[in-house]
Tab-separated table of all heavy atoms in Angstrom:
chain	number	residue	atom	x	y	z
A	9	ASP	N	-39.535	-4.209	-16.116
A	9	ASP	CA	-40.595	-4.102	-15.104
A	9	ASP	C	-40.790	-2.648	-14.680
A	9	ASP	O	-41.921	-2.167	-14.535
A	9	ASP	CB	-40.250	-4.952	-13.877
A	9	ASP	CG	-40.167	-6.434	-14.186
A	9	ASP	OD1	-40.919	-6.898	-15.072
A	9	ASP	OD2	-39.349	-7.124	-13.546
A	10	ILE	N	-39.673	-1.959	-14.467
A	10	ILE	CA	-39.748	-0.556	-14.048
A	10	ILE	C	-40.350	0.292	-15.160
A	10	ILE	O	-41.183	1.179	-14.912
A	10	ILE	CB	-38.354	-0.042	-13.662
A	10	ILE	CG1	-37.784	-0.845	-12.488
A	10	ILE	CG2	-38.404	1.441	-13.302
A	10	ILE	CD1	-36.336	-0.541	-12.184
A	11	ALA	N	-39.940	0.020	-16.418
A	11	ALA	CA	-40.468	0.772	-17.553
A	11	ALA	C	-41.980	0.610	-17.673
A	11	ALA	O	-42.711	1.585	-17.910
A	11	ALA	CB	-39.784	0.306	-18.842
A	12	ALA	N	-42.456	-0.622	-17.478
A	12	ALA	CA	-43.900	-0.875	-17.562
A	12	ALA	C	-44.647	-0.147	-16.458
A	12	ALA	O	-45.712	0.447	-16.683
A	12	ALA	CB	-44.156	-2.376	-17.483
A	13	ALA	N	-44.088	-0.173	-15.248
A	13	ALA	CA	-44.749	0.489	-14.112
A	13	ALA	C	-44.758	2.000	-14.269
A	13	ALA	O	-45.717	2.673	-13.859
A	13	ALA	CB	-44.048	0.094	-12.811
A	14	ALA	N	-43.688	2.554	-14.877
A	14	ALA	CA	-43.579	4.007	-15.020
A	14	ALA	C	-44.206	4.521	-16.311
A	14	ALA	O	-44.378	5.737	-16.474
A	14	ALA	CB	-42.107	4.419	-14.963
A	15	GLY	N	-44.542	3.608	-17.228
A	15	GLY	CA	-45.137	4.018	-18.497
A	15	GLY	C	-44.134	4.718	-19.397
A	15	GLY	O	-44.484	5.636	-20.137
A	16	VAL	N	-42.858	4.279	-19.352
A	16	VAL	CA	-41.809	4.871	-20.182
A	16	VAL	C	-41.048	3.752	-20.881
A	16	VAL	O	-41.283	2.564	-20.635
A	16	VAL	CB	-40.828	5.724	-19.347
A	16	VAL	CG1	-41.553	6.889	-18.683
A	16	VAL	CG2	-40.138	4.851	-18.286
A	17	SER	N	-40.102	4.118	-21.740
A	17	SER	CA	-39.301	3.122	-22.444
A	17	SER	C	-38.197	2.581	-21.545
A	17	SER	O	-37.818	3.213	-20.545
A	17	SER	CB	-38.673	3.735	-23.700
A	17	SER	OG	-37.701	4.698	-23.326
A	18	LYS	N	-37.660	1.419	-21.925
A	18	LYS	CA	-36.534	0.854	-21.180
A	18	LYS	C	-35.308	1.771	-21.269
A	18	LYS	O	-34.523	1.859	-20.318
A	18	LYS	CB	-36.186	-0.542	-21.716
A	18	LYS	CG	-37.229	-1.603	-21.382
A	18	LYS	CD	-36.732	-2.998	-21.681
A	18	LYS	CE	-36.577	-3.216	-23.188
A	18	LYS	NZ	-36.160	-4.622	-23.471
A	19	GLY	N	-35.152	2.449	-22.411
A	19	GLY	CA	-34.047	3.382	-22.556
A	19	GLY	C	-34.121	4.513	-21.552
A	19	GLY	O	-33.109	4.922	-20.975
A	20	ALA	N	-35.345	5.032	-21.339
A	20	ALA	CA	-35.523	6.122	-20.372
A	20	ALA	C	-35.161	5.659	-18.963
A	20	ALA	O	-34.547	6.396	-18.180
A	20	ALA	CB	-36.961	6.628	-20.411
A	21	VAL	N	-35.540	4.414	-18.646
A	21	VAL	CA	-35.195	3.868	-17.328
A	21	VAL	C	-33.678	3.757	-17.177
A	21	VAL	O	-33.105	4.111	-16.139
A	21	VAL	CB	-35.852	2.485	-17.120
A	21	VAL	CG1	-35.361	1.861	-15.812
A	21	VAL	CG2	-37.356	2.605	-17.112
A	22	SER	N	-33.024	3.282	-18.232
A	22	SER	CA	-31.565	3.156	-18.195
A	22	SER	C	-30.908	4.509	-17.992
A	22	SER	O	-29.977	4.643	-17.180
A	22	SER	CB	-31.067	2.517	-19.495
A	22	SER	OG	-29.657	2.420	-19.493
A	23	TYR	N	-31.378	5.531	-18.718
A	23	TYR	CA	-30.814	6.874	-18.554
A	23	TYR	C	-30.980	7.362	-17.119
A	23	TYR	O	-30.062	7.935	-16.517
A	23	TYR	CB	-31.496	7.860	-19.498
A	23	TYR	CG	-31.207	7.634	-20.962
A	23	TYR	CD1	-32.156	7.948	-21.936
A	23	TYR	CD2	-29.988	7.117	-21.385
A	23	TYR	CE1	-31.896	7.741	-23.276
A	23	TYR	CE2	-29.721	6.912	-22.722
A	23	TYR	CZ	-30.677	7.216	-23.671
A	23	TYR	OH	-30.427	7.013	-24.995
A	24	ALA	N	-32.161	7.147	-16.567
A	24	ALA	CA	-32.447	7.635	-15.214
A	24	ALA	C	-31.593	6.921	-14.163
A	24	ALA	O	-31.019	7.551	-13.270
A	24	ALA	CB	-33.924	7.457	-14.904
A	25	LEU	N	-31.510	5.599	-14.273
A	25	LEU	CA	-30.775	4.821	-13.274
A	25	LEU	C	-29.272	5.085	-13.315
A	25	LEU	O	-28.592	5.023	-12.290
A	25	LEU	CB	-31.033	3.328	-13.472
A	25	LEU	CG	-32.460	2.833	-13.214
A	25	LEU	CD1	-32.569	1.348	-13.536
A	25	LEU	CD2	-32.871	3.100	-11.766
A	26	ASN	N	-28.755	5.387	-14.498
A	26	ASN	CA	-27.318	5.606	-14.654
A	26	ASN	C	-26.918	7.071	-14.588
A	26	ASN	O	-25.747	7.414	-14.807
A	26	ASN	CB	-26.835	5.000	-15.976
A	26	ASN	CG	-26.910	3.481	-15.969
A	26	ASN	OD1	-26.566	2.854	-14.982
A	26	ASN	ND2	-27.372	2.903	-17.068
A	27	GLY	N	-27.891	7.971	-14.282
A	27	GLY	CA	-27.586	9.387	-14.151
A	27	GLY	C	-27.186	10.056	-15.442
A	27	GLY	O	-26.433	11.031	-15.437
A	28	ARG	N	-27.685	9.560	-16.552
A	28	ARG	CA	-27.313	10.108	-17.858
A	28	ARG	C	-28.402	11.035	-18.381
A	28	ARG	O	-29.587	10.893	-18.014
A	28	ARG	CB	-27.075	8.962	-18.848
A	28	ARG	CG	-25.912	8.070	-18.449
A	28	ARG	CD	-25.906	6.764	-19.217
A	28	ARG	NE	-25.742	6.962	-20.645
A	28	ARG	CZ	-25.896	5.989	-21.550
A	28	ARG	NH1	-26.245	4.776	-21.152
A	28	ARG	NH2	-25.706	6.241	-22.830
A	29	PRO	N	-28.046	12.003	-19.224
A	29	PRO	CA	-29.059	12.885	-19.807
A	29	PRO	C	-29.975	12.108	-20.760
A	29	PRO	O	-29.645	11.014	-21.201
A	29	PRO	CB	-28.221	13.922	-20.564
A	29	PRO	CG	-26.933	13.233	-20.856
A	29	PRO	CD	-26.688	12.323	-19.699
A	30	GLY	N	-31.141	12.702	-21.040
A	30	GLY	CA	-32.075	12.044	-21.964
A	30	GLY	C	-33.475	11.951	-21.411
A	30	GLY	O	-34.415	11.588	-22.131
A	31	VAL	N	-33.626	12.257	-20.119
A	31	VAL	CA	-34.959	12.280	-19.497
A	31	VAL	C	-35.068	13.533	-18.646
A	31	VAL	O	-34.057	14.066	-18.164
A	31	VAL	CB	-35.207	11.032	-18.615
A	31	VAL	CG1	-35.277	9.769	-19.453
A	31	VAL	CG2	-34.133	10.895	-17.536
A	32	SER	N	-36.288	13.995	-18.455
A	32	SER	CA	-36.496	15.175	-17.620
A	32	SER	C	-36.276	14.816	-16.158
A	32	SER	O	-36.329	13.640	-15.777
A	32	SER	CB	-37.916	15.705	-17.808
A	32	SER	OG	-38.859	14.786	-17.273
A	33	GLU	N	-36.044	15.831	-15.331
A	33	GLU	CA	-35.839	15.586	-13.908
A	33	GLU	C	-37.083	14.996	-13.260
A	33	GLU	O	-36.992	14.157	-12.357
A	33	GLU	CB	-35.426	16.878	-13.203
A	33	GLU	CG	-33.983	17.276	-13.460
A	33	GLU	CD	-33.005	16.165	-13.136
A	33	GLU	OE1	-33.093	15.580	-12.032
A	33	GLU	OE2	-32.166	15.856	-14.001
A	34	THR	N	-38.258	15.421	-13.747
A	34	THR	CA	-39.505	14.874	-13.202
A	34	THR	C	-39.598	13.384	-13.478
A	34	THR	O	-39.931	12.579	-12.592
A	34	THR	CB	-40.721	15.600	-13.822
A	34	THR	OG1	-40.639	16.991	-13.510
A	34	THR	CG2	-42.024	15.032	-13.266
A	35	THR	N	-39.300	13.008	-14.731
A	35	THR	CA	-39.355	11.593	-15.107
A	35	THR	C	-38.291	10.791	-14.368
A	35	THR	O	-38.537	9.669	-13.907
A	35	THR	CB	-39.153	11.439	-16.629
A	35	THR	OG1	-40.175	12.169	-17.302
A	35	THR	CG2	-39.206	9.978	-17.039
A	36	ARG	N	-37.094	11.369	-14.240
A	36	ARG	CA	-36.010	10.683	-13.534
A	36	ARG	C	-36.409	10.391	-12.087
A	36	ARG	O	-36.209	9.293	-11.575
A	36	ARG	CB	-34.736	11.524	-13.565
A	36	ARG	CG	-33.506	10.790	-13.006
A	36	ARG	CD	-32.303	11.738	-12.854
A	36	ARG	NE	-32.056	12.495	-14.067
A	36	ARG	CZ	-31.365	12.021	-15.101
A	36	ARG	NH1	-30.884	10.789	-15.060
A	36	ARG	NH2	-31.164	12.774	-16.171
A	37	THR	N	-36.977	11.407	-11.427
A	37	THR	CA	-37.400	11.243	-10.036
A	37	THR	C	-38.459	10.159	-9.915
A	37	THR	O	-38.418	9.318	-8.985
A	37	THR	CB	-37.951	12.576	-9.491
A	37	THR	OG1	-36.927	13.579	-9.566
A	37	THR	CG2	-38.399	12.429	-8.043
A	38	LYS	N	-39.401	10.145	-10.847
A	38	LYS	CA	-40.471	9.140	-10.840
A	38	LYS	C	-39.892	7.737	-11.009
A	38	LYS	O	-40.259	6.795	-10.282
A	38	LYS	CB	-41.461	9.443	-11.961
A	38	LYS	CG	-42.576	8.414	-12.111
A	38	LYS	CD	-43.465	8.778	-13.296
A	38	LYS	CE	-44.542	7.719	-13.524
A	38	LYS	NZ	-45.399	8.041	-14.706
A	39	ILE	N	-38.967	7.587	-11.955
A	39	ILE	CA	-38.377	6.272	-12.228
A	39	ILE	C	-37.574	5.778	-11.036
A	39	ILE	O	-37.670	4.605	-10.639
A	39	ILE	CB	-37.491	6.348	-13.489
A	39	ILE	CG1	-38.356	6.545	-14.733
A	39	ILE	CG2	-36.627	5.096	-13.629
A	39	ILE	CD1	-37.576	6.848	-15.988
A	40	LEU	N	-36.786	6.661	-10.439
A	40	LEU	CA	-35.977	6.264	-9.283
A	40	LEU	C	-36.855	5.856	-8.104
A	40	LEU	O	-36.525	4.900	-7.380
A	40	LEU	CB	-35.042	7.413	-8.875
A	40	LEU	CG	-33.929	7.757	-9.868
A	40	LEU	CD1	-33.132	8.963	-9.377
A	40	LEU	CD2	-33.003	6.571	-10.090
A	41	ALA	N	-37.966	6.552	-7.926
A	41	ALA	CA	-38.883	6.216	-6.834
A	41	ALA	C	-39.506	4.838	-7.064
A	41	ALA	O	-39.618	4.017	-6.131
A	41	ALA	CB	-39.960	7.279	-6.718
A	42	ILE	N	-39.922	4.566	-8.298
A	42	ILE	CA	-40.528	3.263	-8.618
A	42	ILE	C	-39.495	2.152	-8.462
A	42	ILE	O	-39.796	1.078	-7.919
A	42	ILE	CB	-41.106	3.280	-10.056
A	42	ILE	CG1	-42.325	4.208	-10.113
A	42	ILE	CG2	-41.475	1.870	-10.518
A	42	ILE	CD1	-42.872	4.427	-11.512
A	43	ALA	N	-38.264	2.411	-8.915
A	43	ALA	CA	-37.209	1.407	-8.793
A	43	ALA	C	-36.935	1.069	-7.329
A	43	ALA	O	-36.774	-0.102	-6.968
A	43	ALA	CB	-35.929	1.913	-9.460
A	44	ALA	N	-36.898	2.094	-6.492
A	44	ALA	CA	-36.666	1.873	-5.062
A	44	ALA	C	-37.813	1.105	-4.436
A	44	ALA	O	-37.611	0.187	-3.631
A	44	ALA	CB	-36.477	3.212	-4.353
A	45	GLU	N	-39.037	1.444	-4.825
A	45	GLU	CA	-40.224	0.780	-4.277
A	45	GLU	C	-40.266	-0.695	-4.679
A	45	GLU	O	-40.671	-1.557	-3.889
A	45	GLU	CB	-41.481	1.484	-4.780
A	45	GLU	CG	-42.771	0.930	-4.202
A	45	GLU	CD	-43.988	1.670	-4.717
A	45	GLU	OE1	-43.843	2.794	-5.220
A	45	GLU	OE2	-45.094	1.112	-4.616
A	46	MET	N	-39.808	-0.992	-5.879
A	46	MET	CA	-39.836	-2.370	-6.371
A	46	MET	C	-38.613	-3.169	-5.908
A	46	MET	O	-38.519	-4.376	-6.167
A	46	MET	CB	-39.887	-2.378	-7.904
A	46	MET	CG	-41.160	-1.747	-8.460
A	46	MET	SD	-41.187	-1.688	-10.280
A	46	MET	CE	-41.479	-3.429	-10.662
A	47	GLY	N	-37.668	-2.486	-5.224
A	47	GLY	CA	-36.479	-3.172	-4.726
A	47	GLY	C	-35.505	-3.551	-5.820
A	47	GLY	O	-34.840	-4.588	-5.751
A	48	PHE	N	-35.391	-2.689	-6.832
A	48	PHE	CA	-34.509	-2.986	-7.956
A	48	PHE	C	-33.039	-2.906	-7.547
A	48	PHE	O	-32.609	-1.949	-6.904
A	48	PHE	CB	-34.771	-1.987	-9.100
A	48	PHE	CG	-33.807	-2.121	-10.254
A	48	PHE	CD1	-33.912	-3.176	-11.145
A	48	PHE	CD2	-32.795	-1.192	-10.449
A	48	PHE	CE1	-33.039	-3.301	-12.208
A	48	PHE	CE2	-31.908	-1.303	-11.502
A	48	PHE	CZ	-32.035	-2.369	-12.386
A	49	VAL	N	-32.267	-3.938	-7.905
A	49	VAL	CA	-30.827	-3.959	-7.705
A	49	VAL	C	-30.179	-4.105	-9.069
A	49	VAL	O	-30.436	-5.089	-9.776
A	49	VAL	CB	-30.383	-5.130	-6.797
A	49	VAL	CG1	-28.852	-5.154	-6.681
A	49	VAL	CG2	-31.032	-5.027	-5.448
A	50	PRO	N	-29.354	-3.131	-9.517
A	50	PRO	CA	-28.780	-3.207	-10.862
A	50	PRO	C	-27.855	-4.394	-11.032
A	50	PRO	O	-27.154	-4.786	-10.100
A	50	PRO	CB	-28.019	-1.888	-11.007
A	50	PRO	CG	-27.743	-1.456	-9.617
A	50	PRO	CD	-28.906	-1.936	-8.788
A	51	ASN	N	-27.905	-4.988	-12.212
A	51	ASN	CA	-26.974	-6.048	-12.572
A	51	ASN	C	-25.631	-5.406	-12.869
A	51	ASN	O	-25.497	-4.644	-13.813
A	51	ASN	CB	-27.488	-6.798	-13.817
A	51	ASN	CG	-26.573	-7.956	-14.186
A	51	ASN	OD1	-25.404	-7.761	-14.459
A	51	ASN	ND2	-27.139	-9.149	-14.206
A	52	ARG	N	-24.630	-5.733	-12.055
A	52	ARG	CA	-23.346	-5.045	-12.139
A	52	ARG	C	-22.662	-5.251	-13.499
A	52	ARG	O	-22.108	-4.343	-14.086
A	52	ARG	CB	-22.430	-5.553	-11.024
A	52	ARG	CG	-21.165	-4.748	-10.876
A	52	ARG	CD	-20.494	-5.142	-9.599
A	52	ARG	NE	-19.299	-4.363	-9.400
A	52	ARG	CZ	-18.591	-4.398	-8.283
A	52	ARG	NH1	-18.982	-5.154	-7.291
A	52	ARG	NH2	-17.503	-3.681	-8.156
A	53	ALA	N	-22.725	-6.506	-13.997
A	53	ALA	CA	-22.075	-6.783	-15.273
A	53	ALA	C	-22.747	-6.030	-16.408
A	53	ALA	O	-22.102	-5.447	-17.267
A	53	ALA	CB	-22.108	-8.284	-15.548
A	54	ALA	N	-24.092	-6.037	-16.397
A	54	ALA	CA	-24.812	-5.337	-17.458
A	54	ALA	C	-24.575	-3.839	-17.369
A	54	ALA	O	-24.410	-3.159	-18.383
A	54	ALA	CB	-26.308	-5.631	-17.354
A	55	ARG	N	-24.525	-3.314	-16.141
A	55	ARG	CA	-24.308	-1.879	-15.975
A	55	ARG	C	-22.930	-1.477	-16.483
A	55	ARG	O	-22.743	-0.434	-17.095
A	55	ARG	CB	-24.445	-1.499	-14.495
A	55	ARG	CG	-24.327	0.014	-14.276
A	55	ARG	CD	-24.512	0.372	-12.803
A	55	ARG	NE	-24.550	1.810	-12.648
A	55	ARG	CZ	-23.460	2.565	-12.553
A	55	ARG	NH1	-22.282	2.024	-12.628
A	55	ARG	NH2	-23.588	3.873	-12.413
A	56	SER	N	-21.918	-2.360	-16.239
A	56	SER	CA	-20.572	-2.023	-16.680
A	56	SER	C	-20.507	-1.917	-18.197
A	56	SER	O	-19.757	-1.114	-18.742
A	56	SER	CB	-19.575	-3.078	-16.192
A	56	SER	OG	-19.778	-4.304	-16.849
A	57	LEU	N	-21.309	-2.741	-18.905
A	57	LEU	CA	-21.333	-2.668	-20.354
A	57	LEU	C	-22.018	-1.399	-20.830
A	57	LEU	O	-21.595	-0.757	-21.782
A	57	LEU	CB	-22.055	-3.897	-20.933
A	57	LEU	CG	-21.316	-5.236	-20.748
A	57	LEU	CD1	-22.211	-6.376	-21.224
A	57	LEU	CD2	-20.007	-5.232	-21.504
Side-chain angles (χ1 to χ4, degrees):
D9 297 327
I10 299 171
V16 298
S17 68
K18 289 191 292 183
V21 174
S22 178
Y23 292 149
L25 294 177
N26 292 318
R28 297 165 62 190
V31 293
S32 68
E33 284 306 311
T34 300
T35 301
R36 188 189 310 277
T37 300
K38 176 183 177 182
I39 290 171
L40 292 177
I42 291 173
E45 184 179 341
M46 296 177 73
F48 174 75
V49 177
N51 183 300
R52 190 168 182 172
R55 184 178 187 276
S56 69
L57 292 174

